[in-house]
Amino acid sequence: DGIRDKLVTGVQTCALPISGPGYSEMGSGQHDDWRHPAATISLIIPAYNEARHLAETLPRLRAEFHADPNIELIIVDDGSTDQTADIVARFIDDWEGARLIRMPWNQGKGSAIKAGIGAARGTRIVFSDADLSADISDLPRLVAAQIGRAHV
């Protein structure tokens, strides 16, 4: 158990199971809704000098997930020298399920991802780039497919 169990390299956006409370229930078919508390998701976005992209994508994320108690958003600012942290702080100010982690200096995307994983509380971890190159609105279907509740 550890980071290597939670991270699949080479995949831009993926949901990964993490052992923990409620994990064994996920595949049992006891719950019809992917939003069961055992399916809480941590969405991690590593960011280095991504103020421009985040100014565009954070409103989309907020519209999609702000009211969803089962989605945790973690933005990891990897020592940005632009306004990344300020933009994030402004958009997540009253968003209980969102957090900003600031690295003291640029340590690379891998370190930012590890910091996000270390802070994640969800039973599933999803990674995305700041420009949301993968369609994040498909997140509920992705998780439902992974826990065997999707109608594909």
Side-chain angles (χ1 to χ4, degrees), residues 121-151:
R121 297 179 188 137
T123 57
R124 304 264 185 220
I125 294 180
V126 177
F127 305 97
S128 184
D129 289 335
D131 64 357
L132 298 182
S133 55
D135 188 0
I136 209 72
S137 66
D138 286 336
L139 184 59
R141 287 189 7 228
L142 174 67
V143 173
Q146 192 176 53
I147 62 176
R149 295 195 185 106
H151 300 287

Side-chain angles (χ1 to χ4, degrees), residues 31-144:
H31 309 289
D32 293 328
D33 187 0
W34 78 272
R35 294 174 187 277
H36 182 271
T40 299
I41 298 163
S42 295
L43 172 58
I44 299 171
I45 300 178
Y48 176 69
N49 290 340
E50 294 283 1
R52 184 177 61 83
H53 283 131
L54 289 169
E56 296 172 12
T57 59
L58 281 170
R60 290 174 49 204
L61 289 169
R62 187 178 179 88
E64 187 80 28
F65 302 121
H66 180 262
D68 191 334
N70 294 302
I71 302 287
E72 169 189 45
L73 175 66
I74 301 171
I75 309 283
V76 182
D77 178 9
D78 187 20
S80 296
T81 58
D82 66 358
Q83 299 299 310
T84 294
D86 295 333
I87 297 285
V88 173
R90 187 175 79 228
F91 279 99
I92 69 169
D93 183 43
D94 65 341
W95 186 350
E96 188 176 321
R99 292 187 284 157
L100 169 63
I101 298 172
R102 295 187 72 183
M103 308 287 273
W105 61 85
N106 181 253
Q107 299 173 46
K109 187 174 182 177
S111 291
I113 287 173
K114 289 177 188 175
I117 290 170
R121 297 179 188 137
T123 57
R124 304 264 185 220
I125 294 180
V126 177
F127 305 97
S128 184
D129 289 335
D131 64 357
L132 298 182
S133 55
D135 188 0
I136 209 72
S137 66
D138 286 336
L139 184 59
R141 287 189 7 228
L142 174 67
V143 173

